[in-house]
Amino acid sequence: MIYPTRTAILCAAAGVPVTLLVALMLPGRWYAALAWPVAVLLACLADALGGARPGRAQLHLTLPKTASVGASVEGRATVTIPGTARAQLLLDIGPLLTQDEDGLWIDLTEGKGGAAIPLQTTRRGTARVARGWLRWKGSLGLVWKQRILPLDASMAILPDIRPVHDRGAQIFQRHALQGLMAQVDRGDGADFDALVEFRSGMDRRAIDWKQSARHSKLHAKEFRSERNNQIVFAIDAGRQMSEPVAGLPRLDRVVSAMLLTAWVALKLGDRVALHAFDSRPRIASGLVSGAAAFGELQRLAAQIDYGGDESNYTHALTTLATRLTRRSMIVLFTEFTDLTSAEFLVRAASRLVETHLLLVVVLRDEELESIIDRRPASADDVTRAVTAAALLRDRLTVLTRLRHLGAHVIEAEHDRVADRLVQGYVDLKRRNLL
């Protein structure tokens, strides 16, 4: 693609008064007035034909494999344009990245050059750069030469795991998970671990009378918390989860909480799987174990896209149940605003709790609560408050029905949901409900 530069347009515009004056002074030789625009046109044509042609331009882009949300990263662009000293590059980066709107100028030496491209990650997902625009001026500076080059560069934008590691380390340091770490091998679990001499403070129901009679001393059975439990995180990625809460979508909030809990679960020896859905299942991973598997969960979490479809609880949870061959703990992250969709959720949950341990996690609707707490200043404010109170009442009704079915429910603020979820998981594990 070749088109005139601003310089060529200004040169043509500067000759307009001269052209009009010549046409008025020489009415019989009006064609003399065309000398200036023809000269500018010929100069632009010569500039377009000279130098490198657009078809000879080449572009190669390299991006980091992964990056965190909100991080600043650098890509590397390599440009080859024979006979050109400087070129401008602009990338089609999509909605997950941002860059300078004016593009990047790259200096070329003997037609070759490269530069670092500063980018900013804005949303989680897989960022793909499908094409790039290269343009450069001709030797006379009168025309732009441009070429659109296809690219196949991608980068996984992952949830920021720095808070996960920092918060996870704090959890393990704080009383060692409230004594759970000491109970993983020995404690109030369900799996027999060893026969030990009875000590003061131990549960008398653990005394093994047969072995005590044999050794002439009181001996008790010591148990350990069951390991290798199956923890399945089911994330609703439907329309309701794309709504922002304090500047971030609900989906990003629950993904961060999921990663922290998954990290703790893997550290404690349990097996973890990820299941994401909206109108149909989107991601269904297998069970992984060991702290080294956390990277795989992080990559899967980056693939959870923001959806605009309504959540189909019946299809998603039924599909999930058919994949599980033993009792598992299912942690369901979801959001609902109407009783119709909530009714499907309750029906699907009633079938899950018959076999599995279900933990439902929702974020508190702080916007509705703020409308109720705000002092009304007009009749419209009163109407909003009454509507918000009705919505919260319906929400409480649905959560109460879930609890009556036997499901465990966590409703927390967006900045405390991760801590509440880890605490709930630890409590259920200590009580051997998994």
Side-chain angles (χ1 to χ4, degrees), residues 335-339 365 367-369 371-372 383-399 411:
E335 181 59 38
F336 51 87
T337 56
D338 60 277
L339 292 179
D365 200 325
E367 182 179 0
L368 293 181
E369 295 177 356
I371 292 176
I372 296 176
T383 303
R384 295 190 189 97
V386 172
T387 305
L391 291 175
L392 289 179
R393 183 169 59 252
D394 293 341
R395 181 187 183 90
L396 178 60
T397 301
V398 174
L399 296 180
E411 185 181 17

Side-chain angles (χ1 to χ4, degrees), residues 279-342:
S279 59
R280 61 183 179 86
R282 300 292 180 178
I283 296 176
S285 75
L287 292 161
V288 297
S289 59
F294 180 75
E296 178 64 22
L297 288 177
Q298 187 185 6
R299 285 188 290 272
L300 288 173
Q303 299 176 14
I304 303 176
D305 200 2
Y306 306 90
D309 299 339
E310 294 292 340
S311 302
N312 190 335
Y313 297 105
T314 304
H315 184 197
L317 298 182
T318 301
T319 303
L320 174 60
T322 57
R323 294 172 55 91
L324 300 175
T325 58
R326 52 171 284 197
R327 176 177 170 83
S328 306
M329 176 181 176
I330 300 175
V331 183
L332 174 61
F333 301 90
T334 188
E335 181 59 38
F336 51 87
T337 56
D338 60 277
L339 292 179
T340 303
S341 60

